[in-house]
Amino acid sequence: MKKEILLGILILVAIFNVFAEGEIHIGYVYPAGGQRGTSFEVVVGGQNLGHVTGLFVSGKGVKGEIIEKVSTKDEKKPKPAKVKGQENEQIAQQIRLRITIDRKSDLGMRDFRLITDNGFSNRIFFEVGELPEMTEVEKNDTKETPFILPKIPVVINGQILPNDRDCFRFSALQGQTLVCETKARRLVPYMADAVPGWFQAVATLYGPDGKEVAYNDDYGPQPDPVIIYKVPQSGTYTLEIKDAIYRGREDFVYRIAIGELPFVESWFPLGGTKNKKSRISLNGVNLIKNKINVSLKNDISGRTSFTVKGKGKLSSNPVTLAENDYPEIFESPNNNSKETAQVLPGMCVVNGKIEAPGDVDWFQLERKTGDTLLFEIMSHRLGTSLDADITLFDSNMNVLEQNDDFFDRSEGLETHHADPRLIYTIKANGKYFIRVRDVQHHGGPDYAYRLIVGVPVPDFDLRIVPSNLALNKGGTTAFSVYALRKYSFNGAIQLELKGLPEGFTHSRGIIKAGQDQAQMTLTAPREALLGTLGLKVLGYASGKAENKDARIEREAEPAEEMMQAFSYQHLIPASDFLTTVETALPITLSSSIKSDSILKIVQDGTINITLDVNRQEGFEVPVQLVLSNPTSGIKMKPVLVAGNEKHGTVTIETQNIQPGKEITLIISGVTRPGKNAKIKTMTVLCPALSAIIVSK
């Protein structure tokens, strides 16, 4: 993808701040993780890495320092550090860091960002592990020339380059149950310029005689392969990894854990009641326990994840549970036909399982005319192999409604939305039947589900993009808030920033009825303290609960917007919402219009807006005013403000916009301080202005 396209995407998601040589972007870190209690070097590949000052990793216990910066001798085009033949501009530069992980650091995936003079980079994933680690050494691209692993368990870090494959040889003993778990897509979930949009790893295990003994190209709903193999005879085994279609480049990074590792293959039930303990049965290999009590946390995500200890006191892969408020029941064992359908007590969550290929589960419910019901399966989103189908029948076995897949935008890492959802309003009193089955007629321990039978209460979730904001003292930054509307909620959502220090202000925040996005700005006072702010974005709306008026309040989850395969956009949750206050710039934009005011623009008309150009003494550089967030029907010609002028007037034009529509205007000023300045191009924002289209 070209640099100009990347910058266009960044503008769409409202990353409007001062930038040097363009916005910083990181595409990978290699190795993409490390063992706690160790220190090691990593390479970060990306774009515009010339002004990196440090590292930020979410959670506690991970620190980093720069040991080799990108060369900036040619300021117009910073030289990549040892990236030969790399044609992708987004990963054409490198920077080297030394990472130190505390021995008590929590295990698992972290958000990894670089820090620049102007805030944080985008987020990529970095794993804190517990096993010894090694990094592949080329050439190891054939079974005859493998990289030798002295012993297992171990984590291998590698990269797949064009037409590359990597081979690793190790010794295993008869009776061992080997687990070879690859992480590739989980490290770099989406690539904007690759099809299918990620590194599709394929793993093959060869026995002592060189013949294939196991193969995997994905594990359940997860594109990353996992091989589980019971060793029949002692000897040397070889693991091969490659891309499914023989692509490769520096951001095709992977981590493979090899050894007698605890691995949970399936679990039941898949969740429980919020704020209560659930008894979970586990099925897998190298585990010590097959049952565990888990406290559900009532997290903002509606999920609880946990690991269990296994052989060698090692931790298993993470297991995810869903939470709900409805009563929990279990599927009866003899509900395989309409005649033996399980009678449901009313609104509830049924914990069930498609036990074997061809299994079908039936449920019966008695309802009255006018009742509106929700039937939803939670399964694939939690990590199972089930591709469920729900069908609703009346008492005469007429099909009333059916659903196979439901697109859930809140699940940013899902590309196959295999969980079904249907909403139906009962037309007549009587008995109704629900059938649950696997579309492919498969079944087994890994085909568990949660059938939610309830009332579709209108609701919403919120995502804030980007998850990292840079804000200069006295300056303004911008962000977007997305509404993920649920169960026909169509109302307006009021937005508010919580935790603002004194003197900070934000623009009017509202997601209008029927709309899914709002753009807002945050402005810091000149006397603001430098550092990172802990802010929250809250959304409020009027709704219904048990047929009564109710107030809905939701906290926005920070997210990163990522493009897949040139076109698809995904909102990927992030760990932290970071706002960094940086030093003041020599210029800011402002207006005399109050933040809660709403301008009126006549349909197909114009409005003039005067902005104040606030300059530090001696900063007499021309500034070009442009509309940062152009939308359909809104135009503004750029206006050049001379270096000795302190005001600029812009004209907003509207075309073919219906009266009553509200719009947000974000106007930026672009200036070039000069050849000798550290920052070549400087972009500042005016606080957002709200306007409404009125009739002529």
Side-chain angles (χ1 to χ4, degrees):
M1 176 176 292
K2 298 295 185 183
K3 179 178 176 182
E4 291 77 13
I5 297 177
L6 174 64
L7 293 176
I9 297 168
L10 291 170
I11 289 173
L12 281 175
V13 299
I15 308 178
F16 306 110
N17 294 291
V18 58
F19 58 93
E21 305 280 341
E23 295 289 348
I24 182 174
H25 170 84
I26 52 178
Y28 69 92
V29 56
Y30 176 69
Q35 182 185 20
R36 58 186 177 185
T38 64
S39 181
F40 51 94
E41 291 185 13
V42 302
V43 173
V44 180
Q47 186 177 28
N48 301 312
L49 304 182
H51 298 280
V52 173
T53 59
L55 171 69
F56 175 86
V57 178
S58 62
K60 297 180 180 180
V62 182
K63 299 180 180 179
E65 60 178 335
I66 300 169
I67 58 176
E68 182 183 346
K69 287 192 173 184
V70 172
S71 172
T72 54
K73 292 180 181 179
D74 180 358
E75 289 290 343
K76 292 184 179 180
K77 187 177 181 181
K79 294 180 181 179
K82 302 178 182 178
V83 187
K84 297 180 179 180
Q86 180 54 258
E87 298 180 357
N88 188 315
E89 290 187 23
Q90 290 190 51
I91 54 174
Q93 297 175 1
Q94 290 183 346
I95 188 169
R96 301 184 74 86
L97 306 173
R98 175 164 290 280
I99 304 295
T100 301
I101 306 178
D102 187 88
R103 62 185 180 85
K104 295 183 179 180
S105 186
D106 291 338
L107 300 174
M109 289 291 187
R110 306 289 189 89
D111 288 358
F112 180 106
R113 305 174 191 269
L114 294 180
I115 304 172
T116 73
D117 296 331
N118 304 294
F120 296 93
S121 72
N122 61 302
R123 179 274 313 274
I124 55 176
F125 290 109
F126 181 88
E127 185 179 30
V128 175
E130 61 184 335
L131 299 177
E133 305 236 350
M134 300 186 72
T135 300
E136 64 151 330
V137 177
E138 296 287 354
K139 287 188 172 183
N140 63 331
D141 52 0
T142 68
K143 291 185 293 180
E144 292 70 36
T145 60
F147 181 81
I148 305 298
L149 304 179
K151 62 179 181 179
I152 57 174
V154 69
V155 169
I156 293 295
N157 294 279
Q159 290 173 298
I160 294 295
L161 299 177
N163 299 311
D164 189 16
R165 67 181 69 201
D166 292 336
C167 296
F168 304 95
R169 181 164 294 166
F170 56 91
S171 297
L173 300 176
Q174 181 179 0
Q176 287 184 318
T177 300
L178 290 178
V179 174
C180 305
E181 182 186 12
T182 301
K183 293 184 176 74
R185 197 255 182 170
R186 281 173 282 182
L187 301 173
V188 184
Y190 295 111
M191 297 175 181
D193 57 348
V195 178
W198 57 80
F199 165 28
Q200 180 58 66
V202 173
T204 307
L205 184 65
Y206 298 93
D209 59 0
K211 294 182 179 179
E212 178 183 315
V213 296
Y215 168 92
N216 192 250
D217 61 353
D218 51 40
Y219 186 80
Q222 173 60 253
D224 290 338
V226 177
I227 288 176
I228 299 174
Y229 181 70
K230 184 81 169 180
V231 178
Q233 67 180 81
S234 299
T236 57
Y237 290 76
T238 302
L239 182 70
E240 176 193 80
I241 182 172
K242 63 183 179 182
D243 180 67
I245 51 178
Y246 297 96
R247 302 164 302 161
R249 62 191 200 191
E250 275 78 359
D251 55 353
F252 279 35
V253 297
Y254 63 81
R255 289 169 58 79
I256 309 176
I258 304 174
E260 272 193 295
L261 309 177
F263 193 88
V264 179
E265 298 176 87
S266 62
W267 59 100
F268 186 80
L270 301 182
T273 305
K274 292 179 182 178
N275 296 317
K276 292 187 178 181
K277 287 187 177 181
S278 287
R279 184 73 168 168
I280 307 299
S281 297
L282 305 173
N283 176 54
V285 297
N286 302 320
L287 302 177
I288 295 175
K289 297 180 180 180
N290 58 12
K291 290 185 182 296
I292 186 172
N293 292 322
V294 180
S295 297
L296 300 181
K297 299 181 296 187
N298 193 19
D299 187 75
I300 185 175
S301 67
R303 311 282 172 83
T304 295
S305 293
F306 68 94
T307 60
V308 295
K309 292 293 184 181
K311 266 191 177 182
K313 297 183 180 180
L314 297 174
S315 297
S316 72
N317 54 311
V319 173
T320 301
L321 302 177
E323 309 161 357
N324 209 285
D325 290 320
Y326 289 121
E328 301 266 337
I329 65 171
F330 288 85
E331 167 204 3
S332 64
N334 301 312
N335 64 337
N336 300 326
S337 68
K338 175 195 171 186
E339 291 70 28
T340 59
Q342 181 177 352
V343 178
L344 300 181
M347 307 301 102
C348 63
V349 176
V350 183
N351 293 284
K353 190 183 298 182
I354 302 300
E355 298 277 2
D359 184 21
V360 177
D361 291 342
W362 287 83
F363 303 94
Q364 177 183 322
L365 191 66
E366 192 159 346
R367 303 307 299 172
K368 296 180 180 179
T369 303
D371 288 348
T372 298
L373 298 178
L374 163 73
F375 302 94
E376 181 173 4
I377 291 287
M378 285 286 289
S379 179
H380 196 273
R381 286 170 283 183
L382 300 175
T384 80
S385 298
L386 179 64
D387 185 358
D389 168 282
I390 299 178
T391 307
L392 180 66
F393 300 86
D394 64 15
S395 58
N396 295 317
M397 296 310 293
N398 297 309
V399 175
L400 303 177
E401 198 78 41
Q402 181 273 339
N403 187 258
D404 172 16
D405 298 335
F406 175 80
F407 178 76
D408 184 352
R409 197 182 181 202
S410 68
E411 299 290 338
L413 293 173
E414 287 282 335
T415 55
H416 177 201
H417 292 261
D419 287 342
R421 174 193 294 176
L422 63 86
I423 295 174
Y424 185 79
T425 300
I426 301 297
K427 304 297 190 297
N429 296 347
K431 293 181 181 179
Y432 293 83
F433 294 87
I434 306 110
R435 183 186 66 192
V436 177
R437 61 180 180 178
D438 181 75
V439 172
Q440 307 297 328
H441 305 293
H442 297 160
D446 190 33
Y447 286 74
Y449 62 84
R450 286 169 64 80
L451 169 63
I452 302 167
V453 180
V455 177
V457 179
D459 203 344
F460 61 88
D461 291 325
L462 297 174
R463 300 288 186 270
I464 181 168
V465 176
S467 60
N468 56 296
L469 301 177
L471 179 59
N472 297 97
K473 294 174 66 170
T476 297
T477 188
F479 57 92
S480 293
V481 181
Y482 291 89
L484 309 180
R485 298 177 180 273
K486 300 189 293 186
Y487 311 131
S488 302
F489 175 76
N490 199 42
I493 304 170
Q494 299 289 336
L495 302 172
E496 182 180 358
L497 270 157
K498 288 288 190 180
L500 287 178
E502 185 177 353
F504 285 74
T505 59
H506 65 80
S507 63
R508 184 170 179 267
I510 182 171
I511 302 177
K512 297 294 292 183
Q515 297 182 4
D516 297 326
Q517 180 185 0
Q519 290 182 316
M520 297 177 63
T521 56
L522 172 63
T523 302
R526 273 282 179 182
E527 62 276 12
L529 298 177
L530 301 180
T532 301
L533 304 179
L535 304 180
K536 293 182 179 181
V537 176
L538 299 181
Y540 309 94
S542 298
K544 293 283 187 181
E546 297 179 354
N547 296 319
K548 297 179 181 179
D549 291 336
R551 174 184 168 94
I552 306 172
E553 178 179 328
R554 296 289 177 263
E555 180 181 338
E557 279 192 80
E560 294 278 331
E561 190 165 36
M562 300 187 73
M563 177 179 281
Q564 173 202 354
F566 302 98
S567 59
Y568 303 104
Q569 295 284 355
H570 302 272
L571 295 174
I572 312 300
S575 298
D576 303 283
F577 177 39
L578 303 170
T579 302
T580 305
V581 180
E582 302 289 340
T583 56
L585 298 178
I587 187 171
T588 63
L589 295 181
S590 61
S591 78
S592 59
I593 301 170
K594 294 182 179 180
S595 61
D596 58 353
S597 298
I598 302 178
L599 303 175
K600 294 181 180 180
I601 308 178
V602 176
Q603 185 183 20
D604 297 328
T606 63
I607 187 172
N608 293 328
I609 300 173
T610 298
L611 303 182
D612 298 324
V613 182
N614 311 299
R615 305 172 184 271
Q616 289 183 2
E617 186 176 349
F619 191 79
E620 297 182 353
V621 179
V623 179
Q624 182 166 271
L625 303 178
V626 296
L627 186 62
S628 291
N629 63 332
T631 56
S632 178
I634 304 293
K635 292 183 179 180
M636 189 193 96
K637 292 182 179 179
V639 172
L640 186 65
V641 181
N644 60 349
E645 295 179 344
K646 296 184 178 180
H647 306 282
T649 300
V650 299
T651 301
I652 304 295
E653 303 178 41
T654 67
Q655 295 177 346
N656 302 319
I657 302 179
Q658 293 299 314
K661 181 177 177 60
E662 288 195 23
I663 57 176
T664 299
L665 304 171
I666 300 179
I667 301 169
S668 63
V670 181
T671 182
R672 298 182 183 277
K675 293 183 179 180
N676 297 323
K678 181 179 180 181
I679 299 174
K680 301 304 180 183
T681 303
M682 188 180 298
T683 303
V684 294
L685 297 182
C686 180
L689 303 172
S690 297
I692 189 170
I693 307 300
V694 297
S695 300
K696 296 179 180 179

